[in-house]
Amino acid sequence: MPSEKVLQSKKEIVAALSEKLKNATAGVLVDYKGISVADDTALRRELREAGIEYAVYKNSMIRFASKEAGLEELANVLDGTTALAISAEDPVAAAKIICNYSDKLKKIFNVKAGFVDGKVLSAEEVADLSKLPGREQLVAMVLAGFNAPISGFANVLNANLRGLAVALNAIAEKQSA
């Protein structure tokens, strides 16, 4: 039987993890067994640069925290080694980075499941999510869409001005001749 101090410590970890899961936009659970230190360091660096929190947790802790956060279906994949990548802002970033490493390190580093906005995703759905453009790319695409009509309007006006300039040059040449 664990001591009261250890039990309280575990409850605090579960409460903190549950809060992270509730506030997260997205997350991905992975089986990291067999990943080398160099690959793990590179993965953690890339995730940190993208603003994604990545940590290894005991399956029982994730099970309790996911139940509190309303993500009970995650319990189905909690066996073996489990690491969790949580993104607070970009719903695609964690899936992109994790799936990229999963493709490079087949049979060593595998996606177990994920979640986006409170909906649990299978490993296949996480892979599909990773193929979507990231937040920055989507913003750029929207801005380009807003910019297109303005650019078109400027081109039309510019074409009219060019036509007027050609006509004025032709009139000036006739008068000078």
Side-chain angles (χ1 to χ4, degrees):
M1 184 90 172
S3 71
E4 189 63 34
K5 188 176 179 181
V6 171
L7 191 58
Q8 185 60 32
S9 171
K10 288 181 179 183
K11 285 182 180 179
E12 290 171 4
I13 292 170
V14 168
L17 180 57
S18 174
E19 197 61 33
K20 287 177 187 178
L21 291 173
K22 287 177 189 174
N23 295 330
T25 302
V28 180
L29 285 99
V30 295
D31 180 357
Y32 64 90
K33 182 176 48 182
I35 190 170
S36 70
V37 173
D39 288 332
D40 188 51
T41 303
L43 170 66
R44 287 176 185 268
R45 183 181 320 111
E46 191 172 343
L47 289 168
R48 191 173 33 259
E49 288 170 358
I52 299 164
E53 185 179 329
Y54 178 79
V56 174
Y57 293 98
K58 286 186 169 188
N59 288 330
S60 59
M61 304 253 184
I62 297 173
R63 187 175 291 111
F64 289 124
S66 64
K67 186 174 183 181
E68 283 184 33
L71 300 167
E72 295 88 4
E73 296 91 11
L74 290 178
N76 299 334
V77 298
L78 294 176
D79 59 340
T81 57
T82 305
L84 177 62
I86 300 173
S87 176
E89 295 178 13
D90 191 348
V92 179
K96 274 189 177 302
I97 295 168
I98 295 291
C99 286
N100 183 31
Y101 273 82
S102 179
D103 290 343
K104 284 196 291 189
L105 305 172
K106 290 185 186 332
K107 298 182 183 177
I108 295 174
F109 188 80
N110 297 307
V111 175
K112 290 183 172 187
F115 64 92
V116 174
D117 293 328
K119 182 184 181 294
V120 175
L121 306 173
S122 68
E124 294 79 22
E125 290 171 321
V126 172
D128 291 343
L129 179 66
S130 74
K131 294 175 183 144
L132 292 175
R135 184 175 187 271
E136 292 176 4
Q137 289 172 310
L138 288 174
V139 169
M141 291 167 66
V142 168
L143 292 176
F146 286 147
N147 194 25
I150 295 168
S151 297
F153 182 65
N155 286 335
V156 167
L157 290 178
N158 204 13
N160 287 339
L161 290 175
R162 279 192 302 263
L164 180 61
V166 169
L168 289 175
N169 281 339
I171 292 171
E173 286 178 10
K174 279 187 179 181
Q175 288 179 352
S176 63

